């Protein structure tokens, strides 16, 4: 449509969210703080229960609720034991907390709302389109305002999950109440029931199964949002899946995903057990109920005992943010392990790059060692430079650029014509390098018609590996230090215009008032530095199958002197 | 003073009741009104008064507005116009709270499909009315159990409705309505969903109950026989308007208009009706196969005193009475000797022509088709009915 100016929808929405963020910040902070403490309490409570006791308890409950059938209890036992065996127990508990919280809040909001929409056609006419909107909008979109309102962590994850999981609860409640036969409603009316009596004595009991089906769906949807929510720092199994996607690590992704599947099946079966047909005597003998209650109490008791007797790590809490690029996984793990050896209680939060800078700016993350300056993260630095402290480089000689296998003839960006289907294979769309890469495509005339493909750093590495093995052309957005340079023969393309940045350094950034709050830790962050070779050795270890934690510990053992120098 | 008094009660469904009302006054048809205004006339200008302790039956075909009318009485449906008095109080003026009281104290309702709550046991269903009034548990249990005991269902009190037959469920519905001890019982086609046998039983039970408790019962049905059987007064409705009110006798002998006449079948049947339309199904015994004991048992089951005897080819042979069959059993003789001749008529014989035959016959008259197969029998009662109708017409003329 020519001659019509574009409607500034984007800026309207941004302005609206900004207005909310500034004017309701008190409320949001309160919600964030109270939510965070409730969830932390819940997670701590769940993890305090010794794993074997919890597995046994849940298996016993499964046996009690499914008499004479052994499939489900056996599945519960084996599935949970497998999760524990893969060291995913604490992740599982974080996920359970998130799901419980999101589901409970969805129920508390959804059931009354469903009752209101069933009773009032006007409300239904307003609410139903909103529900449609909520359910079809991609879950990712909710993460953006969630971060703006609540920062990072589990609270925005719950917020996004609720928006996503609430609609079926409202719909099914509404449906259940509308489905109560007219004859029964008339009968209740003819005896002079008040609206309230009708609801409590007739409609809700009859709608019960439909409502429970809604509960089941809500829980499943909340569970499906776990992975998405982990992009903004929600802990749990989702994080494992997400970082596996970013590093193209099939095995770890599958194992984390399997954990989610097992959890989903167990929750699904347990919620389905609550369904009963009306007009049937529920054949639960009282002793079964008592036994279930007793089992739950034993589990909780075990948790309490465990919480009292176990030593809480009394170290200082610090929160390191990072992006799941291989380079940052290496550096952040090394730093975190080293800090732990010095008695700090370290939380590592993997985030999307833009979200990481934002969280540093609003003080939710203490520090990060993954700022590529002055070129790659220039845009983000310019945006947040007033709200963070830049402590300077921790690694020199980093470089970003277009990278090709050395069997390709081309040597300079200016010489590219139509290689590799005119495609540059990139990484996460929010990464700084992607911004510079796009700028490069725009400023070289020979790159007209080239595409920049966004994916993830892991997917990029996989694509490179595939092309390399079949000797095909490929152009990727590469950076050093990176293990791929030790694994393949690669070269940087010359960059006569310098749009991809010259040599850069990786820098340490912290939140604005860290120096005031925690000078000792700030000093460590300031001193932290190592070399490109150090980093690449750690990266290669991880690439060859070591866990990041193991690789970090190994490096620290052999570089004790350097590591000690950070604390002087 | 009448227990229930209805004055000019009207209900129009839809969005433009005023326009529809205008058209009703001009005697436009229902279809035309829907066409023009999109509104449906539920009931129009109903006037009637119902005395204490009578069974007042409202009849009509489906769509005649009878179910709407009964729901207007306890205001499950709000009337568009008109007044409704119960014990002299105008309840059309009552607010919501007063209306709740009326429903709790004075009126109870029984529904065509029982309207039992599937998630509650019989006892919980029966005590529902008292429960919502806040009666304490022991008291309401006692009264509910008493009502169930009267309905001979006390031993089932902890069962759920889905575990019972239709007749039992409806007895629970009735017990539930009676537990409140209402003055007025509204019954909306209460027995229509039951099979004919159970239906007859329930009608008798209702009459017996009425003899004991003396409630005002407003009973809706589309079945003339049911109305004649239980009604003290009968009102006939068509398209939302009242056609006639009277006792069963009055309606049968002096139908107010053509519609009522056709409704009660009040035309000179003997000149138009054929044997086929007044015959009852023939109950047969195949005497090539059945023995006297089987035949007697059939009679006992069907509550008749004779059967039409047929052979293997289903051809009509004659009449087998219970006396003859019993004789044959005593004397060990085959049934074929016990069969007596019976008069036959064709399917399209007129009733008027059947009358002389039936007066002379010792047995029912068999109606046979061209293949000599018995299609039905005509008994004296059916002809008497036809006769009564014609006599009624003559007194009219």
């Amino acid at each position: 449509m020519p001659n019509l100016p574009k409607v500034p929808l984007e800026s309207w929405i941004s302005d609206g969210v900004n207005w909310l963020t500034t004017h309701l910040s008190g409320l949001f902070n309160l919600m964030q703080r109270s939510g965070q403490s409730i969830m932390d309490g819940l997670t701590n409570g769940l993890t305090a229960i010794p794993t074997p006791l919890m597995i046994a308890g849940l298996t016993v409950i499964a046996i009690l609720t499914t008499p004479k059938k052994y499939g489900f209890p056996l599945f519960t036992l084996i599935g949970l034991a497998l999760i524990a065996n893969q060291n995913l127990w604490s992740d599982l508990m974080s996920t359970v907390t998130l799901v419980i919280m999101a589901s409970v809040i969805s129920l508390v909001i959804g059931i009354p709302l469903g009752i209101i929409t069933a009773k009032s056609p006007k409300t239904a006419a307003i609410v139903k389109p909103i529900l449609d909107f909520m359910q079809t909008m991609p879950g990712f979109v909710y993460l953006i305002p969630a971060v703006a309102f609540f920062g990072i962590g589990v609270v925005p994850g719950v917020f996004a999950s609720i928006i996503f999981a609430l609609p079926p609860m409202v719909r099914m409640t509404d449906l259940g109440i509308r489905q109560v036969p007219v004859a029964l409603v008339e009968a209740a009316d003819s005896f002079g029931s008040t609206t309230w009596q009708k609801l409590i004595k007739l409609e809700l009991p009859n709608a019960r199964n439909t409502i429970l089906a809604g509960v089941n769906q809500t829980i499943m949807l909340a569970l499906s949002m776990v992975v998405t929510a982990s992009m903004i720092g929600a802990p749990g199994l989702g994080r494992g899946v997400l970082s596996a996607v970013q590093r193209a690590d099939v095995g770890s992704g599958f194992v984390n995903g399997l954990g989610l599947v097992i959890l989903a099946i167990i929750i699904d079966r347990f919620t389905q057990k609550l369904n009963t047909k009306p007009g049937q005597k529920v054949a639960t003998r009282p002793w079964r109920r008592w036994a279930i209650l007793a089992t739950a109490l034993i589990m909780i008791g075990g948790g309490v005992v465990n919480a009292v007797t176990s030593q809480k790590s009394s170290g200082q809490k610090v929160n390191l943010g990072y992006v799941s690029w291989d380079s940052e996984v290496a550096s952040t793990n090394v730093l975190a392990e080293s800090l732990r050896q010095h008695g700090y209680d370290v939380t590592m939060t993997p985030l999307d790059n833009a979200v990481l800078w934002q969280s540093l700016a609003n003080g939710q993350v203490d520090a990060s060692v993954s700022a590529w300056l002055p070129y790659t993260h220039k845009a983000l630095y310019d945006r947040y430079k007033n709200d963070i402290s830049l402590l300077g480089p921790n690694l020199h000689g980093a470089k970003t650029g277009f990278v090709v296998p050395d069997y390709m003839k081309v040597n300079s960006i200016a010489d590219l014509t139509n290689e590799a289907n005119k495609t540059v294979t990139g990484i996460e769309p929010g990464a700084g390098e992607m911004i510079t890469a796009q700028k490069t495509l725009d400023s070289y005339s020979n790159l007209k018609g080239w595409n920049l493909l966004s994916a993830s750093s892991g997917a990029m590495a996989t694509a490179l590996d595939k092309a390399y093995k079949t000797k095909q052309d490929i152009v990727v957005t590469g950076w050093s230090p990176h293990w791929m340079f030790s694994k393949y023969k690669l070269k940087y393309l010359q960059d006569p215009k310098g749009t991809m940045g010259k040599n850069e350094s990786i820098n340490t950034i912290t939140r604005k008032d860290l120096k005031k709050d925690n000078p000792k830790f700030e000093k460590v962050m300031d001193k932290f530095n190592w070399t490109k070779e150090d980093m690449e050795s750690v990266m290669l270890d991880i690439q060859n199958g070591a866990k990041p934690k193991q690789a970090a510990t190994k490096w620290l053992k052999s570089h004790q002197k350097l590591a000690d120098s950070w604390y002087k | 003073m009448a227990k229930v008094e209805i004055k000019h009660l009207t209900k129009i469904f839809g969005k433009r009741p005023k326009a529809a009302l205008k058209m009703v006054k001009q005697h436009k048809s229902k279809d035309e009104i829907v066409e023009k205004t999109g509104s449906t006339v539920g009931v129009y200008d109903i006037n009637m008064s119902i005395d204490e302790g009578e069974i007042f039956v409202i009849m009509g075909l489906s769509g005649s507005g009878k179910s709407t009318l009964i729901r207007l009485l306890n205001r499950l449906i709000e009337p568009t116009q008109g007044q409704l008095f119960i014990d002299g109080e105008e309840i059309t003026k009552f607010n919501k709270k007063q209306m709740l009281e009326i429903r709790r104290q004075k009126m109870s309702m029984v529904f065509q499909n029982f309207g039992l709550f599937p998630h509650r046991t019989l006892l919980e269903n029966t005590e529902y009315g008292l429960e919502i009034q806040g009666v304490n548990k022991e008291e309401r249990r006692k009264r509910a159990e008493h009502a169930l005991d009267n309905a001979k269902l006390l031993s089932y009190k902890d069962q759920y409705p889905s575990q019972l037959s239709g007749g039992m469920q409806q007895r629970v519905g009735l017990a539930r309505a009676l537990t409140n001890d209402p003055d007025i019982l509204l019954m909306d086609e209460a027995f229509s969903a039951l099979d004919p046998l159970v239906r007859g039983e329930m009608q008798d039970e209702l009459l017996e109950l009425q003899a004991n408790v003396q409630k005002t019962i407003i009973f809706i049905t589309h079945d003339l026989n049911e109305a004649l059987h239980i009604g003290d007064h009968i009102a006939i409705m068509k398209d939302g308007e009242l056609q006639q009110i009277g006792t069963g006798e009055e309606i049968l002998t002096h139908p107010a208009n053509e519609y009522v006449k056709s409704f009660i079948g009040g035309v000179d049947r003997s000149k138009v009706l054929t044997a086929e339309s007044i015959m009852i199904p023939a109950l047969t015994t195949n005497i090539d196969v059945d023995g006297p004991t089987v035949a007697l048992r059939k009679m006992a089951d069907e509550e008749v005193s004779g059967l039409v005897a047929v052979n293997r080819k289903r051809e009509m042979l004659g009449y087998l009475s219970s006396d003859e069959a019993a004789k044959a059993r005593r004397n060990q003789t085959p049934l074929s000797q016990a069969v007596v001749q019976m008069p036959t008529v064709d399917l399209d014989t007129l009733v008027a022509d059947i009358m002389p035959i039936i007066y002379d016959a010792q047995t029912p008259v068999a109606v046979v088709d061209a293949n000599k197969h018995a299609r039905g029998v005509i008994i004296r009662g059916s002809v008497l009915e036809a006769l009564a109708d014609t006599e009624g017409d003559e007194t009219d003329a």
Side-chain angles (χ1 to χ4, degrees):
Chain A
M1 290 200 297
N3 308 335
L4 275 181
K6 184 177 156 192
V7 179
L9 257 186
E10 289 181 16
S11 61
W12 287 345
I13 293 166
S14 304
D15 292 349
V17 171
N18 285 340
W19 187 89
L20 282 176
T21 316
T22 46
H23 285 78
L24 295 180
S25 64
L27 175 70
F28 287 142
N29 283 340
L30 180 75
M31 284 164 85
Q32 148 81 19
R33 266 199 303 277
S34 51
Q36 187 76 44
S37 55
I38 292 172
M39 309 264 240
D40 285 349
L42 199 54
T43 313
N44 291 340
L46 284 169
T47 31
I49 300 172
T51 312
L53 182 66
M54 193 147 175
I55 295 177
L58 286 172
T59 310
V60 168
I61 292 176
I63 291 171
L64 289 171
T65 49
T66 35
K68 300 197 178 72
K69 285 206 180 109
Y70 299 110
F72 174 57
L74 208 63
F75 177 85
T76 309
L77 179 67
I78 294 172
L80 291 175
L82 182 71
I83 294 176
N85 163 275
Q86 298 291 316
N87 293 331
L88 296 175
W89 193 256
S90 61
D91 283 346
L92 179 75
M93 290 304 115
S94 306
T95 301
V96 168
T97 303
L98 193 142
V99 171
I100 288 177
M101 200 76 183
S103 312
V104 167
I105 296 175
S106 295
L107 296 194
V108 170
I109 301 172
I111 292 179
L113 196 60
I115 291 170
I116 295 166
T117 54
K119 294 270 174 197
S120 135
K122 278 203 183 103
T123 321
I126 298 167
V127 169
K128 293 234 157 120
I130 297 175
L131 292 183
D132 291 340
F133 183 90
M134 280 161 75
Q135 243 186 320
T136 43
M137 182 66 89
F140 279 102
V141 176
Y142 300 131
L143 300 181
I144 310 164
V147 172
F149 295 154
F150 304 111
I152 53 156
V154 75
V155 177
V158 167
F159 171 80
S161 303
I162 288 170
I163 295 182
F164 198 62
L166 182 67
M169 195 64 253
V170 181
R171 266 188 237 281
M172 298 294 262
T173 307
D174 175 270
L175 178 75
I177 287 179
R178 280 173 199 269
Q179 267 182 344
V180 176
V182 178
L184 298 186
V185 178
E186 269 190 337
D189 277 335
S190 75
F191 284 101
S193 319
T194 58
T195 313
W196 189 246
Q197 285 172 325
K198 210 163 43 176
L199 184 71
I200 299 294
K201 292 181 190 291
L202 170 70
E203 286 163 332
L204 286 180
N206 265 297
R208 187 181 154 201
N209 283 350
T210 318
I211 292 174
L212 280 170
V215 171
N216 185 308
Q217 274 197 19
T218 294
I219 293 175
M220 291 301 135
L221 284 174
L223 201 57
S224 70
M225 275 297 281
V226 165
V227 175
T228 318
S230 66
M231 296 183 68
I232 48 173
L237 291 165
R239 220 178 244 191
V241 174
L242 189 70
S243 72
V245 168
Q246 285 171 323
R247 304 204 327 262
D249 184 346
V250 180
S252 129
F254 196 85
V255 170
N256 279 283
L258 190 67
L260 279 171
V261 170
I262 292 168
L263 175 66
I265 291 176
I266 291 173
I267 293 180
D268 179 63
R269 294 296 181 281
F270 270 126
T271 46
Q272 280 185 6
K273 296 213 180 313
L274 298 172
N275 262 345
T276 52
K277 286 205 179 72
Q280 261 190 349
K281 276 247 183 299
V282 190
T284 38
R285 297 187 192 81
W287 69 266
R288 275 191 199 283
R289 294 198 173 185
W290 286 114
I292 291 169
L293 202 64
T295 315
L297 281 175
I298 290 170
M299 277 161 53
I300 293 165
V304 172
V305 170
N306 194 27
V308 170
T309 52
S310 69
Q311 304 260 309
K312 270 262 171 279
S313 69
S314 53
Q316 280 191 329
K317 271 192 173 355
V318 295
N319 191 341
L320 292 179
Y322 68 106
V323 190
S324 281
W325 299 312
D326 299 283
S327 50
E328 314 315 330
V329 170
S331 58
T332 312
N333 268 288
V334 166
L335 180 61
E337 276 313 303
S338 154
L339 282 167
R340 281 180 191 133
Q341 287 170 7
H342 284 79
Y344 286 90
D345 180 2
V346 187
T347 313
M348 291 168 54
T349 313
L351 292 166
D352 184 72
N353 198 28
V355 178
L356 169 66
W357 284 74
Q358 195 184 341
S359 320
L360 274 161
N362 59 27
Q364 289 198 303
V365 171
D366 290 319
S368 171
V369 291
S370 53
W372 291 56
L373 293 171
Y375 305 104
T376 311
H377 294 165
K378 183 173 187 309
L380 288 164
Y381 179 71
D382 286 347
R383 188 166 165 191
Y384 293 111
K385 65 181 169 210
N386 297 328
D387 305 322
I388 58 172
S389 319
L390 175 64
L391 301 184
N394 57 50
L395 184 145
H396 288 281
K399 179 172 167 52
T400 61
F402 284 6
V403 172
V404 295
D406 72 344
Y407 53 73
M408 279 174 70
K409 294 214 168 41
V410 70
N411 281 319
S412 163
I413 297 180
D415 301 340
L416 286 170
T417 49
N418 56 357
E419 293 85 352
N421 300 330
K422 293 196 168 184
T423 303
V424 177
T425 307
I427 53 172
E428 291 83 357
E433 189 173 3
M434 294 296 277
I435 300 166
T436 53
Q438 191 56 55
K439 221 164 47 197
T440 308
L441 289 191
D442 295 342
S443 50
Y444 281 85
S445 53
N446 59 320
L447 295 186
K448 209 168 155 44
W450 278 62
N451 289 322
L452 180 60
L453 193 70
S454 18
S456 74
S457 31
M460 181 271 287
T462 311
L464 177 66
D465 182 68
K466 209 168 135 196
Y468 194 85
K469 279 184 180 145
T470 52
K471 290 276 181 284
Q472 280 174 335
D473 286 1
I474 185 162
V475 182
V476 299
T477 55
W479 65 94
S480 326
H482 197 291
W483 52 264
M484 63 186 185
F485 290 97
S486 24
K487 194 164 173 181
Y488 316 107
K489 290 202 171 92
L490 305 171
K491 60 187 180 191
Y492 278 102
L493 293 178
Q494 287 159 17
D495 179 15
K497 292 197 179 187
T499 44
M500 284 301 285
K502 303 203 175 42
N503 271 6
E504 347 184 56
S505 53
I506 310 183
N507 291 263
T508 304
I509 45 179
T510 69
R511 60 185 170 90
K512 195 89 186 149
D513 34 17
L514 184 67
K515 194 165 185 158
K516 221 170 44 224
D517 302 343
N518 196 342
K520 203 164 143 224
F521 171 64
E522 201 262 355
K523 208 169 149 196
V524 179
M525 294 306 295
D526 195 20
K527 286 245 173 96
F528 171 71
N529 72 86
W530 59 343
T531 65
K532 202 162 122 179
E533 291 69 35
D534 288 331
M535 193 188 232
E536 279 185 344
S537 74
V538 177
M539 282 164 101
L540 200 62
D541 274 349
I542 296 173
Q543 186 52 31
N544 291 336
K547 285 261 173 299
K549 210 169 161 160
Q550 295 167 335
T553 319
K554 184 179 146 195
W555 183 89
L556 282 170
K557 260 202 188 113
S558 50
H559 299 75
Q560 198 64 51
K561 220 165 138 193
L562 175 57
D564 285 344
S565 74
W566 304 335
Y567 296 89
K568 281 179 184 138
Chain B
M1 186 184 64
K3 182 85 184 162
V4 180
E5 186 84 43
I6 300 171
K7 291 186 179 163
H8 306 294
L9 201 60
T10 297
K11 172 69 193 181
I12 314 273
F13 293 101
K15 288 211 165 112
R16 297 171 53 198
K18 280 215 172 77
L21 259 177
K22 213 183 255 167
M23 291 183 70
V24 180
K25 283 185 181 135
Q26 299 160 355
H27 297 291
K28 297 269 195 290
S29 77
K30 250 181 148 176
D31 296 345
E32 210 175 334
I33 295 171
V34 172
E35 192 91 5
K36 281 260 161 53
T37 63
S39 301
T40 334
V41 181
V43 298
Y44 175 66
D45 196 29
I46 302 285
N47 295 286
M48 56 172 76
S49 77
I50 298 166
D51 288 332
E52 179 128 25
E54 70 166 335
I55 299 185
F56 190 97
V57 179
I58 300 169
M59 289 197 57
L61 300 173
S62 53
S64 60
K66 54 191 192 307
S67 286
T68 306
L69 179 58
I70 204 169
R71 282 168 178 72
L72 286 168
L73 298 185
N74 64 355
R75 282 181 62 196
L76 286 181
I77 296 176
E78 286 297 325
T80 314
Q81 267 192 353
Q83 297 162 294
L84 170 63
F85 299 89
I86 290 180
D87 291 331
E89 294 175 302
E90 189 179 344
I91 69 161
T92 24
K93 283 222 169 76
F94 277 18
N95 63 20
K96 208 170 164 177
K97 206 166 159 209
Q98 289 169 299
M99 212 51 233
L100 280 189
E101 278 313 301
I102 287 274
R103 287 180 192 162
R104 288 173 176 193
Q105 308 296 345
K106 287 204 172 167
M107 297 181 147
S108 288
M109 196 160 175
V110 182
F111 296 85
Q112 178 176 4
N113 295 317
F114 325 135
L116 296 181
F117 304 135
H119 61 285
R120 294 174 145 241
T121 61
L122 299 200
L123 187 65
E124 288 166 343
N125 263 293
T126 313
E127 69 180 10
Y128 182 82
L130 296 175
E131 183 182 324
I132 58 176
Q133 291 174 35
V135 176
N136 72 53
K137 199 161 181 161
E138 269 161 41
E139 167 79 3
R140 66 179 196 235
R141 283 271 135 121
K142 207 174 76 200
R143 286 168 65 180
E145 283 181 0
H146 179 70
L148 281 173
D149 198 22
N150 285 343
K152 301 177 195 67
L153 285 171
L154 189 55
S155 47
Y156 295 89
K157 68 174 192 213
D158 294 327
Q159 304 279 310
Y160 286 91
S162 56
Q163 295 161 299
L164 302 183
S165 70
M168 285 171 161
Q169 290 194 47
Q170 195 52 294
R171 290 219 290 273
V172 178
L174 198 53
R176 178 175 70 174
L178 291 168
T179 306
N180 272 12
D181 201 20
D183 302 358
I184 302 169
L185 208 52
L186 306 173
M187 302 183 76
D188 179 19
E189 300 210 25
F191 305 148
S192 304
L194 307 173
D195 67 64
L197 251 169
V198 179
R199 195 167 173 169
E201 277 173 31
M202 294 288 296
Q203 287 165 6
D204 293 336
E205 270 177 46
L206 187 70
L207 289 170
E208 204 166 309
L209 179 98
Q210 179 66 349
N212 294 332
V213 295
Q214 286 295 317
K215 307 233 171 264
T216 307
I217 298 176
I218 299 169
F219 194 101
I220 297 246
T221 181
H222 56 241
D223 175 348
L224 183 66
N225 290 333
E226 188 161 67
L228 292 169
H229 185 48
I230 64 173
D232 297 325
H233 281 101
I234 299 173
I236 295 179
M237 292 181 68
K238 172 185 180 246
D239 290 350
E241 299 189 45
L242 207 53
Q243 306 294 313
Q244 186 175 9
I245 300 182
T247 60
E249 190 68 24
E250 284 166 359
I251 284 181
L252 287 181
T253 50
H254 302 285
N257 58 26
E258 280 308 309
Y259 176 76
V260 178
K261 223 180 251 189
S262 65
F263 191 85
I264 59 172
V267 283
D268 184 357
R269 297 175 187 211
S270 66
K271 303 281 197 304
V272 280
L273 291 191
T274 57
E276 190 178 8
S277 58
I278 66 163
M279 71 189 187
I280 53 173
L283 300 162
T284 60
T285 171
N286 176 352
I287 59 168
D288 292 350
V289 182
D290 297 348
T293 317
V294 172
L296 280 167
R297 182 168 178 145
K298 251 187 200 165
M299 293 179 205
D301 282 350
E302 302 286 1
E303 295 171 357
V304 291
S305 59
L307 295 169
V308 177
V310 297
N311 63 11
R312 258 181 218 287
K313 292 184 185 159
R314 316 249 348 118
E315 285 166 347
M316 214 270 311
L317 298 174
Y319 184 73
L320 174 70
S321 69
S322 55
D323 299 351
E324 291 293 335
K327 222 182 277 173
R329 186 164 65 174
R330 278 201 301 278
N331 306 338
Q332 301 278 316
T333 51
L335 274 183
S336 50
Q337 292 174 19
V339 173
V340 296
Q341 276 296 316
M342 78 192 279
T344 60
V345 293
D346 293 337
L347 284 171
D348 51 8
T349 312
L350 288 179
V351 171
D353 303 336
I354 298 171
M355 282 182 201
I357 302 174
I358 201 124
Y359 279 128
D360 299 341
Q362 302 303 310
T363 62
V365 175
V367 183
V368 292
D369 59 16
N371 307 330
K372 300 288 284 172
H373 288 192
R375 298 289 295 272
V377 293
I378 296 170
I379 53 175
R380 214 161 284 211
S382 46
V383 178
L384 284 180
E385 203 178 301
L387 193 66
D389 287 331
T390 49
E391 278 175 359
D393 278 358
E394 278 160 17
T395 50
D396 266 357

